[in-house]
Amino acid sequence: MSPVQPLPPELLYTRTDPSLLRFKTSTDLPPLQEIIGQDRAVGAVKFGIGIRRPGYNIFALGTTGTGRHELVEDFLRQHAADEPTPSDWCYVYNFTDSYYPVALEFPAGSGVAFCRAMEELVEELYAVIPAAFASDEYRIRRQTIENTLRERQEAAYRALQTEANQHGLDLLRTPSGLVFAPVTETQEVIDPEAFQKLSEEEKERIRGHIEELQGKLQAVLQQAPDWESETRRDLRALDAETIRFTVTPLFTRLLTTYADQPAVQKYLAAVQEDVQHHFDLFLTAESKEDGEPSHTESHPPITRYKVNLLVDCSNTQGAPVVYEDNPAYGNLVGRVEYTTRMGGMDTDFTLIRPGALHRANGGYLMIDARRLLLEPYAWEGLKRALRAGQIRIETPGQMMSQVNVITLEPDPIPLDIKVALVGDRSLYYLLSQNDPDFDELFKVAADFEDVMHRTPDSQARYAQLIASLAAERDLRPLESEAVARILEESARMADDAHKLSMAVGAIIDLMQEADYWAGEEGAQTVRLSHVEMALQEQYHRSARIPERSREMILQDTVHIQTEGAVVGQINGLSVMQLGKIRFGQPTRITARVRMGRGEVVDIEREVALSGRLHSKGVLILSSYLSNRYATEYPLSLHANLVFEQSYGGVDGDSASSTELYALLSALAELPIRQALAVTGSVDQFGNVQAIGGVNEKIEGFFAVCQERGLTGEQGVLIPRTNVRNLMLRSEVVQAVENGQFAIYPISTIDEGIELLTGTPAGVADDNGIFPEGSVNRRVQERLLAFARRWLALHYPAQPGEAERNGDGPMA
Amino acid sequence: MPSHPIQRLLVALDGSPCSHAVLRTAARLAQGLHVELLGIFVEDQHLFQAAALPIAQEVGARSCLVRTLGQDDIARDYRALTHQTAHTATQVVRQFDIEWHFEIRRGQVTEELIALAGPHDLLCLGRYGWPLFPHRRLGSVARTVLTHRPAPLLLLSSEILPQHPIFVTFEGTPAAQQRLQMAARLARLYQSTLTVLLQGNESKSLYKMANTALAGYEQTIEYRQVDLQFWGWDVGRKANRTNATMLTSYQPALMDANPNLALLFI
């Protein structure tokens, strides 16, 4: 096997040639008219907007910062501009049952006019009704009716009085009634003595007259309520006639205006009937008391005739596009507010408030999925509205049938809307898996790419995107070198030299920070140095922990050797993510072996400091050992693997090849070069596989070596399949160029162990025997020796028993 | 402006809602005019006499039931009524800073009132007594007293409202001068506009006289000409339109001008 060659510098960092961008500064570039790198998502959004079928709502999923909000909103706005403006909606009083306010629909922008018309109507009613009741005609007719009653009463009273007088009697008022008494000629009540002196005949005559008059008085008094009732009926009829003639012309005008809207006509008819029944609302208390209506300038508001304009599209062009930033339940489906009155809660239809669904009805509603799900009942409320195709304003308690409070139940409003949720992929799959309604209601998934291919053409368009972003944010023009550097950084963000990151948010941050440094320098344009400064400062601001970690290595508090050779010890590489920054650092991994029952003990796992992926990697390398070296005899090995001085736990399988190398070194008793560090996972066949964070890992080890002094012997073994991911910092590339550092692409464990030990790995012959002196032969022999001793110990005399135990004797 | 001749307000009380309104108005007036107030409740002697008759029977005003009536019944009813009237009157008068007395007399109501009232009294009566029929305009007592008129007479159906116009008829006589002064004083008390009604045919000269009499008066004064031919109707119409609260006049014919108008006859 020929030794693995280090990678040439040009494979460590794929540059973007500024000259190929063909502009001097970003202002030379035309603004980007299209959306780049998101063809799949764009197609999905277009489809979602175009298809007008129930359930075809959109879920824009992808990584934060990939421009999902902007893209979806831009598309929605473009599309919405050509669509018809939706209707206005009002809530009005329900004269049949005020518990159920009535919803009225008006053509876009007409709701305001209706509100105004109703206000004017009420103003008019305040003017004409008191005037009608103050008119001479009304007064005279009312007076006539009242006089009729009075005349009837007085005539009856006079008749009784006259008849009584004719019989020498007078009618007297007592505190609780009336009494007839005989009187003298001077109208004095006759005294009892005089009465006693009257003849019996006379007394009987008087008694007879009194009885007769009492009967008549009773008849009159019994008739009095009927007369009063009749008078009240006549007065009501007069009032009704007066009010009808007064208000009908006003309503006729309105009914003509809204002739083509039956619902409005029905409402106006109800208003007219109500006004006719409650005309006294338009008269002041004083005038009602006096029976003399009068119009006053400051009249009390009459709530029942108000119009609650819920949705006003008078300033809307095309269909509305609403982004609800705070998708609480009430903000979404609307709510009924309350006022306190006399210590209690009270409400009416004027306190109905619209939600985002009302404002976006007939158009589009965008919501951040995470925020929506964090709001209690909001997700259920949205689904309910979409399923039913109508907006029903209910309190959450009503919706869940949990609360029995007196509130309003406004008419539901038909819902015609396209909802676009924007969220993470994990959220999308979580909902898809756990909510049976989700797939029915959000049939369109717009999956946003995290990366795009890095080609000359895509880089040119990305440069245009950068130019547009700079122009939109009023940043200084970027020189082509600066743009090229941003493109390179984008590739590094993508973790792939052949891709560009779609995390536009991070690119914008970098541009803004570079612009800041350009400003600090007083430059007119953003140059390469400003971008470098921005990156350097970004790292510096977050580098406290990596620097502290490196310092501990340099102080030998954490033991990391970068020279010499040690059996069973190797430098592994790990990567840590702290906030926005990722950094790599070396970790010493050690392996110790002895005869045993075929166990490779991962100390990290034993103390629950490793994740499941790491444990899986350890099991894979166990399998590799037994399949490669001990197919014909038991793997009688007990090995311990340790991440030395690791206290925070490890995960991932990127150290599995490293652990295997340490194990092989321990078994072969061959020292490993400590100037090298290793990363990569391994499969059961010994193939080294790609890992993540390769750049940071290399840079982490490089930084330690650099501090201690580069020797030319130092380097990192990486999986060959990770070579395409390399976008290393310039100092690493420079060191490689100078022959002070090396990156080795490794395909197999044999390649790696050869490099690490300086001893050939060895290839097995047809009998499975490795060449003498090779690493694999030494491993094979060590394992064989363990097996023999194991068998000797456990099966000294009766090998048949060993067979039954599954550990057959060696040939 | 000469001081008014009123030295005492005499209020006839009978326990009816109307008489309570009269008492409230009288108490306010007494406070404003700085005079004492005497509340009079007259138990009708005729009723005691009628109840003493063996044939006396009462017909319930609302129930229409006929029941035997005795003097004890009348005495008991009057006891209850006077007690209640005195209690209500005390509650009303307590709100004002005035000197007041309450007397119960027995006799003929009109005679007692006429006998009590002197020229320096203002006799205050309800326009309606206990309603036999609710819409009957003027109680028989009020009519009789108005006929005899022993003193200035104030007839009310409800309280006088502040800041509502006070009407006064003015025909140029010395009595009219005195009435004008009284009306002006009341208008000031109630912060009301004083509306002087002048007879059409002599309105110019009457205006000059009234204007001279009211020289120095600081409240708003309006002069209106009234049609002699339709005197009552015209005054009533003007009172309605301006929401006037009181009419001061000498003519009993104006009694029916407006049922809600307070009438002051001087």
Tab-separated table of all heavy atoms in Angstrom, chain A residues 426-451:
chain	number	residue	atom	x	y	z
A	426	SER	N	-38.335	20.669	11.882
A	426	SER	CA	-38.706	19.769	12.975
A	426	SER	C	-40.164	19.984	13.368
A	426	SER	O	-40.906	19.045	13.638
A	426	SER	CB	-37.797	20.006	14.179
A	426	SER	OG	-37.874	21.354	14.567
A	427	LEU	N	-40.582	21.239	13.333
A	427	LEU	CA	-41.952	21.571	13.694
A	427	LEU	C	-42.934	20.986	12.679
A	427	LEU	O	-43.986	20.449	13.032
A	427	LEU	CB	-42.078	23.100	13.729
A	427	LEU	CG	-42.986	23.716	14.771
A	427	LEU	CD1	-42.687	23.177	16.146
A	427	LEU	CD2	-42.836	25.223	14.749
A	428	TYR	N	-42.542	21.108	11.406
A	428	TYR	CA	-43.400	20.582	10.340
A	428	TYR	C	-43.599	19.081	10.514
A	428	TYR	O	-44.735	18.576	10.496
A	428	TYR	CB	-42.763	20.873	8.975
A	428	TYR	CG	-43.538	20.279	7.825
A	428	TYR	CD1	-44.638	20.933	7.290
A	428	TYR	CD2	-43.189	19.046	7.291
A	428	TYR	CE1	-45.364	20.383	6.254
A	428	TYR	CE2	-43.911	18.485	6.261
A	428	TYR	CZ	-44.994	19.147	5.742
A	428	TYR	OH	-45.726	18.593	4.719
A	429	TYR	N	-42.500	18.360	10.721
A	429	TYR	CA	-42.616	16.903	10.824
A	429	TYR	C	-43.297	16.494	12.121
A	429	TYR	O	-44.011	15.488	12.159
A	429	TYR	CB	-41.239	16.259	10.673
A	429	TYR	CG	-40.690	16.462	9.271
A	429	TYR	CD1	-39.553	17.216	9.032
A	429	TYR	CD2	-41.368	15.911	8.180
A	429	TYR	CE1	-39.092	17.423	7.746
A	429	TYR	CE2	-40.909	16.113	6.887
A	429	TYR	CZ	-39.759	16.875	6.669
A	429	TYR	OH	-39.339	17.076	5.392
A	430	LEU	N	-43.089	17.285	13.143
A	430	LEU	CA	-43.758	17.011	14.428
A	430	LEU	C	-45.277	17.121	14.265
A	430	LEU	O	-46.036	16.240	14.691
A	430	LEU	CB	-43.271	18.030	15.459
A	430	LEU	CG	-43.535	17.728	16.918
A	430	LEU	CD1	-42.659	16.563	17.365
A	430	LEU	CD2	-43.207	18.949	17.784
A	431	LEU	N	-45.697	18.199	13.611
A	431	LEU	CA	-47.133	18.394	13.398
A	431	LEU	C	-47.689	17.317	12.477
A	431	LEU	O	-48.766	16.769	12.701
A	431	LEU	CB	-47.389	19.786	12.790
A	431	LEU	CG	-47.253	20.962	13.751
A	431	LEU	CD1	-47.242	22.272	12.993
A	431	LEU	CD2	-48.403	20.967	14.757
A	432	SER	N	-46.923	17.036	11.433
A	432	SER	CA	-47.379	16.061	10.455
A	432	SER	C	-47.585	14.698	11.110
A	432	SER	O	-48.517	13.970	10.785
A	432	SER	CB	-46.351	15.975	9.335
A	432	SER	OG	-46.766	15.066	8.371
A	433	GLN	N	-46.701	14.382	12.034
A	433	GLN	CA	-46.755	13.074	12.666
A	433	GLN	C	-47.819	12.998	13.762
A	433	GLN	O	-48.470	11.970	13.931
A	433	GLN	CB	-45.391	12.752	13.275
A	433	GLN	CG	-45.254	11.293	13.664
A	433	GLN	CD	-43.830	10.965	14.062
A	433	GLN	OE1	-42.921	11.787	13.912
A	433	GLN	NE2	-43.624	9.776	14.570
A	434	ASN	N	-48.000	14.103	14.468
A	434	ASN	CA	-48.826	14.030	15.679
A	434	ASN	C	-50.213	14.655	15.569
A	434	ASN	O	-51.050	14.422	16.429
A	434	ASN	CB	-48.093	14.699	16.845
A	434	ASN	CG	-46.840	13.938	17.203
A	434	ASN	OD1	-46.904	12.782	17.593
A	434	ASN	ND2	-45.694	14.552	17.018
A	435	ASP	N	-50.423	15.496	14.553
A	435	ASP	CA	-51.723	16.149	14.449
A	435	ASP	C	-52.429	15.669	13.186
A	435	ASP	O	-52.031	16.010	12.069
A	435	ASP	CB	-51.542	17.680	14.396
A	435	ASP	CG	-52.873	18.399	14.513
A	435	ASP	OD1	-53.905	17.787	14.165
A	435	ASP	OD2	-52.889	19.561	14.946
A	436	PRO	N	-53.460	14.875	13.339
A	436	PRO	CA	-54.131	14.321	12.148
A	436	PRO	C	-54.736	15.395	11.244
A	436	PRO	O	-54.938	15.165	10.057
A	436	PRO	CB	-55.218	13.420	12.739
A	436	PRO	CG	-55.318	13.773	14.174
A	436	PRO	CD	-54.034	14.393	14.582
A	437	ASP	N	-55.042	16.565	11.813
A	437	ASP	CA	-55.644	17.626	10.988
A	437	ASP	C	-54.608	18.321	10.116
A	437	ASP	O	-54.943	18.932	9.099
A	437	ASP	CB	-56.272	18.706	11.888
A	437	ASP	CG	-57.387	18.160	12.742
A	437	ASP	OD1	-58.065	17.229	12.270
A	437	ASP	OD2	-57.556	18.645	13.871
A	438	PHE	N	-53.365	18.256	10.538
A	438	PHE	CA	-52.349	19.097	9.907
A	438	PHE	C	-52.218	18.826	8.407
A	438	PHE	O	-52.263	19.742	7.591
A	438	PHE	CB	-51.004	18.885	10.612
A	438	PHE	CG	-49.885	19.686	10.014
A	438	PHE	CD1	-49.828	21.058	10.178
A	438	PHE	CD2	-48.903	19.074	9.262
A	438	PHE	CE1	-48.812	21.802	9.616
A	438	PHE	CE2	-47.881	19.808	8.696
A	438	PHE	CZ	-47.831	21.172	8.876
A	439	ASP	N	-52.057	17.566	8.057
A	439	ASP	CA	-51.863	17.247	6.633
A	439	ASP	C	-53.089	17.587	5.798
A	439	ASP	O	-52.978	17.857	4.601
A	439	ASP	CB	-51.498	15.773	6.465
A	439	ASP	CG	-50.086	15.495	6.957
A	439	ASP	OD1	-49.273	16.440	6.947
A	439	ASP	OD2	-49.804	14.352	7.370
A	440	GLU	N	-54.253	17.568	6.430
A	440	GLU	CA	-55.475	17.899	5.701
A	440	GLU	C	-55.577	19.397	5.441
A	440	GLU	O	-56.124	19.827	4.436
A	440	GLU	CB	-56.698	17.457	6.520
A	440	GLU	CG	-56.942	15.965	6.494
A	440	GLU	CD	-57.184	15.459	5.086
A	440	GLU	OE1	-58.031	16.037	4.392
A	440	GLU	OE2	-56.487	14.509	4.677
A	441	LEU	N	-55.060	20.167	6.373
A	441	LEU	CA	-55.220	21.626	6.278
A	441	LEU	C	-54.017	22.318	5.659
A	441	LEU	O	-54.125	23.428	5.158
A	441	LEU	CB	-55.484	22.216	7.673
A	441	LEU	CG	-56.809	21.808	8.311
A	441	LEU	CD1	-56.883	22.311	9.744
A	441	LEU	CD2	-57.972	22.362	7.508
A	442	PHE	N	-52.858	21.697	5.719
A	442	PHE	CA	-51.645	22.303	5.153
A	442	PHE	C	-51.020	21.318	4.170
A	442	PHE	O	-50.045	20.646	4.458
A	442	PHE	CB	-50.674	22.695	6.272
A	442	PHE	CG	-51.174	23.859	7.080
A	442	PHE	CD1	-52.015	23.655	8.159
A	442	PHE	CD2	-50.869	25.163	6.723
A	442	PHE	CE1	-52.527	24.725	8.875
A	442	PHE	CE2	-51.369	26.238	7.435
A	442	PHE	CZ	-52.200	26.022	8.512
A	443	LYS	N	-51.650	21.284	3.014
A	443	LYS	CA	-51.247	20.283	2.026
A	443	LYS	C	-49.997	20.693	1.266
A	443	LYS	O	-49.397	19.881	0.576
A	443	LYS	CB	-52.390	20.055	1.022
A	443	LYS	CG	-53.636	19.396	1.627
A	443	LYS	CD	-54.700	19.271	0.548
A	443	LYS	CE	-56.047	18.913	1.133
A	443	LYS	NZ	-56.187	17.517	1.476
A	444	VAL	N	-49.651	21.975	1.316
A	444	VAL	CA	-48.512	22.439	0.514
A	444	VAL	C	-47.309	22.702	1.426
A	444	VAL	O	-47.338	23.611	2.247
A	444	VAL	CB	-48.863	23.726	-0.256
A	444	VAL	CG1	-47.701	24.141	-1.139
A	444	VAL	CG2	-50.109	23.523	-1.078
A	445	ALA	N	-46.285	21.888	1.251
A	445	ALA	CA	-45.045	22.094	2.013
A	445	ALA	C	-44.041	22.798	1.108
A	445	ALA	O	-43.672	22.270	0.053
A	445	ALA	CB	-44.492	20.756	2.473
A	446	ALA	N	-43.644	23.980	1.470
A	446	ALA	CA	-42.613	24.701	0.715
A	446	ALA	C	-41.305	24.510	1.473
A	446	ALA	O	-41.065	25.173	2.478
A	446	ALA	CB	-42.981	26.172	0.604
A	447	ASP	N	-40.513	23.552	0.987
A	447	ASP	CA	-39.301	23.157	1.710
A	447	ASP	C	-38.130	24.007	1.220
A	447	ASP	O	-37.700	23.883	0.065
A	447	ASP	CB	-39.044	21.669	1.472
A	447	ASP	CG	-38.092	21.101	2.488
A	447	ASP	OD1	-37.487	21.895	3.239
A	447	ASP	OD2	-37.942	19.872	2.538
A	448	PHE	N	-37.619	24.835	2.084
A	448	PHE	CA	-36.559	25.759	1.706
A	448	PHE	C	-35.196	25.089	1.839
A	448	PHE	O	-34.911	24.460	2.852
A	448	PHE	CB	-36.611	27.025	2.571
A	448	PHE	CG	-37.648	27.989	2.115
A	448	PHE	CD1	-38.993	27.695	2.247
A	448	PHE	CD2	-37.307	29.198	1.530
A	448	PHE	CE1	-39.971	28.559	1.806
A	448	PHE	CE2	-38.261	30.077	1.088
A	448	PHE	CZ	-39.605	29.759	1.220
A	449	GLU	N	-34.387	25.245	0.796
A	449	GLU	CA	-33.033	24.681	0.804
A	449	GLU	C	-32.161	25.460	1.792
A	449	GLU	O	-32.298	26.669	1.941
A	449	GLU	CB	-32.400	24.813	-0.585
A	449	GLU	CG	-33.137	24.075	-1.685
A	449	GLU	CD	-32.894	22.580	-1.634
A	449	GLU	OE1	-32.145	22.138	-0.746
A	449	GLU	OE2	-33.469	21.867	-2.469
A	450	ASP	N	-31.239	24.715	2.415
A	450	ASP	CA	-30.262	25.380	3.277
A	450	ASP	C	-29.043	25.819	2.480
A	450	ASP	O	-28.335	26.744	2.880
A	450	ASP	CB	-29.795	24.434	4.387
A	450	ASP	CG	-30.953	24.031	5.290
A	450	ASP	OD1	-31.925	24.798	5.349
A	450	ASP	OD2	-30.888	22.957	5.894
A	451	VAL	N	-28.822	25.099	1.374
A	451	VAL	CA	-27.631	25.401	0.569
A	451	VAL	C	-27.991	25.361	-0.916
A	451	VAL	O	-29.044	24.824	-1.278
A	451	VAL	CB	-26.506	24.376	0.838
A	451	VAL	CG1	-25.975	24.502	2.244
A	451	VAL	CG2	-26.980	22.961	0.565
